[in-house]
Amino acid sequence: MTTEILRDLAARAVPARRVVDAVKRLRWALPLAIALTVVVHQAWESLAYESWSPAQRFLEGVLIYGVVGPLVTYWTLDWIARAIETREAIEARVRRGERYLASITSGSADAIFSLDTEDVVQTWNRGAEEIFGYPPGSIIGQHVGVLVPESLRRRGDLASIRDRLFADGFVRGYRTRRLTHDGREVDVELTQTLLRGEDGGIIGSSVILRDETDRIAAETAIRRLNQELEARVAERTRQLEAAGTALRANNDALVAANHELKQLDALKDEFVDLVSHELRAPLTNINASVELLLSNGMPDGARTKLEIIGHEASRLTRLVQGVLDISRIGAGRLKLLKAPADPADLCRTALMQLGAADRDWRVHIAPGTPAVMADADRVVQVLGNLLSNAVKYSPAASRIDLTVGPAPGGADVLFSVTDQGVGIPAEEVDRIFERFHRVERHDARETYGHGLGLYIARKIVEAHGGRIWVETTPGAGATFLFTLPRAPEEP
Ligand code: ADP
């Protein structure tokens, strides 16, 4: 059908029409003009011929029959030849275009076919053959209704397409279904255009059907994937919300537990404070009374018992003091009253408070040792603890060294207490400064302490900005060392 339209167009090309018309007119006009010219010429000649000389007659004959006649003939034939050439060139171009268009149409993967005014199939390309399974021979001449599924036919699918076609001249992007030769239904997108003849009258329509099966399948798959994804996201969101709720609940529980713990802690502090104070007062009284009784002279048996009472009361006093210190440290209430202090004074006070002990004491204060910036009572407490440990864990009459001097580096003052006692096993060295940690020794001395002294000593030294550590050889004694910052020099 396309081919016919193109041939039509070519035939209607302007030069071709003009050639035909002009040749038609020339067919009559040329003989008539020649006849008229001959008549005029002969008439004129019969009137004027006698007066002309032979040369004039010769020239006139040559002009009329030898020049004007051949010129008119040449011009006419030349015009016709050029017109025919132009027409042939146009026809050749149209034929090329026609072949090109025909190959596009026939090679297209879309179904392209034409219908006459009664919707009877006129042409059928290869795409149509592949999609619908009809060879051209079996479909050309059939009504296009064979391609419409029964259900759509009943709903007036073809009629509605025709209505739109005649109203607008074309139908575009119309989604519908069509029936194949073997009875399958195919989703298609239809584009149909009215075709008009030379005189403008409708001669049929062209139809393009695009197979949409793959696209629709892909769209369906994408939609399904989307739904799956949405479901998964919704599920995850639900899980996250549940986890969030659980976390919030846990958090609330933790906050409540923390609150409870704080209350318990406060209660414990209160309790420790109360008990320590309540214990300290009677213990002080017991200690004072024992000392009084002992100094007033006692029978030997009673004296020994009183000494035991005094010793145990002192132990209890130290324990109470330790527990009180620990409670203050835990609550961050360890307050230091720092002032410049002379290391020699600190050592003297600590030794005096320790009292008599059967040891070979060696005290060495290096000349020029500077004052330290410290809470004197607390430093005496640390020194007292280290000295009493040295006594506790070393044999009678053994040597104990208390040495003080500038620390290497110069910014601090270094204190050290060295005994010749049992020493500390290597695996315990890092732990003896922990709260309530005691080295298992399986001897009577074990009952002497509570594992509080070194912990408190470390806290006090660190609160001063110093450091405490131990150097020991098990079985050959231990050296406890600590540093304190030197006091700023007085102007
Ligand atoms: P305690 O009251 O038990 O002596 P400390 O905190 O003062 O508590 O000491 C912790 C542990 O360190 C002690 O149980 C002891 O085993 C060990 N220790 C401390 N000083 C010495 C020392 N001079 N020689 C050997 N062991 C020591």
Side-chain angles (χ1 to χ4, degrees):
M1 190 53 157
T2 325
T3 320
E4 282 169 26
I5 296 163
L6 284 170
R7 199 166 294 141
D8 228 357
L9 278 173
R12 281 192 286 137
V14 181
R17 169 62 65 200
R18 267 173 52 196
V19 171
V20 172
D21 290 350
V23 170
K24 268 185 192 165
R25 278 196 298 275
L26 278 174
R27 205 165 50 195
W28 296 105
L30 212 60
L32 215 73
I34 292 170
L36 231 115
T37 313
V38 169
V39 169
V40 171
H41 176 254
Q42 288 308 120
W44 181 41
E45 206 180 58
S46 62
L47 290 176
Y49 201 68
E50 296 299 323
S51 57
W52 290 357
S53 66
Q56 277 178 319
R57 283 185 208 152
F58 175 76
L59 268 175
E60 183 259 358
V62 169
L63 189 72
I64 296 295
Y65 299 109
V67 177
V68 175
L71 268 179
V72 169
T73 311
Y74 172 79
W75 174 80
T76 309
L77 290 177
D78 180 60
W79 186 84
I80 290 171
R82 268 192 284 119
I84 288 171
E85 269 172 18
T86 312
R87 181 194 161 97
E88 276 178 352
I90 288 171
E91 273 185 356
R93 215 163 55 224
V94 167
R95 269 198 302 277
R96 262 204 316 279
E98 213 172 81
R99 275 199 300 277
Y100 186 60
L101 218 59
S103 71
I104 290 176
T105 309
S106 69
S108 169
D110 294 336
I112 302 177
F113 54 93
S114 62
L115 305 174
D116 66 5
T117 49
E118 300 304 317
D119 279 352
V120 172
V121 178
Q122 300 296 307
T123 59
W124 189 252
N125 79 336
R126 208 169 55 220
E129 194 179 333
E130 274 166 16
I131 293 173
F132 293 104
Y134 287 100
S138 72
I139 188 83
I140 288 175
Q142 286 208 57
H143 191 269
V144 75
V146 296
L147 300 176
V148 182
E150 181 58 31
S151 57
L152 286 176
R153 212 179 310 160
R154 264 189 272 117
R155 267 192 268 148
D157 188 64
L158 278 182
S160 85
I161 292 173
R162 269 181 87 84
D163 289 348
R164 286 168 62 177
L165 187 63
F166 282 97
D168 302 335
F170 63 87
V171 176
R172 191 182 296 146
Y174 181 84
R175 296 220 169 130
T176 184
R177 282 196 314 283
R178 288 291 178 260
L179 205 60
T180 64
H181 193 224
D182 55 12
R184 271 183 307 112
E185 289 194 11
V186 185
D187 289 291
V188 292
E189 188 186 275
L190 173 142
T191 300
Q192 193 163 349
T193 313
L194 268 189
L195 296 176
R196 292 180 186 277
E198 205 176 336
D199 55 357
I202 295 169
I203 58 168
S205 60
S206 69
V207 183
I208 303 174
L209 292 179
R210 170 159 293 176
D211 187 349
E212 296 278 85
T213 316
D214 289 349
R215 190 184 59 77
I216 287 173
E219 268 179 16
T220 315
I222 287 172
R223 213 170 306 126
R224 209 183 42 244
L225 270 178
N226 259 346
Q227 280 166 356
E228 276 176 25
L229 259 178
E230 274 169 18
R232 242 185 260 171
V233 167
E235 176 61 22
R236 269 289 144 84
T237 312
R238 257 198 312 281
Q239 286 175 351
L240 274 176
E241 272 170 8
T245 314
L247 258 178
R248 271 194 297 279
N250 275 351
N251 199 28
D252 289 349
L254 273 177
V255 169
N258 193 24
H259 181 69
E260 215 167 295
L261 271 177
K262 275 189 183 148
Q263 276 182 337
L264 277 177
D265 212 36
L267 205 67
K268 183 206 77 182
D269 284 350
E270 257 173 55
F271 176 78
V272 169
D273 267 7
L274 185 83
V275 171
S276 310
H277 283 111
E278 290 305 311
L279 278 176
R280 208 153 47 163
L283 279 172
T284 312
N285 289 338
I286 293 170
N287 272 331
S289 309
V290 167
E291 269 172 32
L292 204 65
L293 284 173
L294 283 175
S295 62
N296 285 345
M298 294 287 298
D300 275 355
R303 165 176 282 275
T304 314
K305 288 189 177 85
L306 270 179
E307 276 173 357
I308 292 171
I309 291 171
H311 185 75
E312 292 304 316
S314 303
R315 248 192 88 206
L316 267 179
T317 310
R318 279 200 304 280
L319 174 63
V320 168
Q321 186 57 48
V323 169
L324 210 57
D325 281 346
I326 288 223
S327 150
R328 282 197 193 119
I329 289 167
R333 283 191 284 124
L334 183 70
K335 295 270 174 322
L336 296 179
L337 299 171
K338 285 199 241 177
D342 179 7
D345 287 346
L346 297 172
C347 293
R348 196 176 305 120
T349 315
L351 284 165
M352 263 167 50
Q353 285 185 4
L354 183 70
D358 173 23
R359 294 294 183 278
D360 175 12
W361 292 102
R362 308 282 176 94
V363 180
H364 178 70
I365 314 286
T369 301
V372 290
M373 192 63 184
D375 181 329
D377 288 345
R378 291 298 183 184
V379 177
V380 167
Q381 186 181 344
V382 173
L383 278 170
N385 177 259
L386 298 184
L387 292 171
S388 72
N389 277 350
V391 173
K392 265 197 292 185
Y393 300 105
S394 64
S398 64
R399 172 174 162 174
I400 295 179
D401 288 273
L402 171 58
T403 310
V404 187
D412 292 335
V413 175
L414 179 69
F415 294 75
S416 69
V417 177
T418 305
D419 64 56
Q420 311 296 321
V422 291
I424 300 157
E427 67 276 10
E428 295 284 348
V429 166
D430 289 336
R431 304 197 55 201
I432 51 171
F433 292 98
E434 288 171 13
R435 189 163 49 169
F436 295 116
H437 186 78
R438 305 202 68 234
V439 179
E440 292 287 337
R441 295 192 188 281
H442 309 292
D443 64 16
R445 291 174 193 273
E446 203 178 342
T447 54
Y448 286 5
H450 307 95
L452 290 180
L454 286 180
Y455 170 77
I456 294 168
R458 174 166 69 92
K459 288 290 176 188
I460 291 173
V461 170
E462 285 174 357
H464 279 87
R467 196 165 80 81
I468 185 167
W469 70 102
V470 64
E471 291 167 0
T472 174
T473 312
T479 300
F480 282 83
L481 305 102
F482 69 94
T483 60
L484 288 177
R486 62 164 69 197
E489 301 219 345
E490 283 181 25

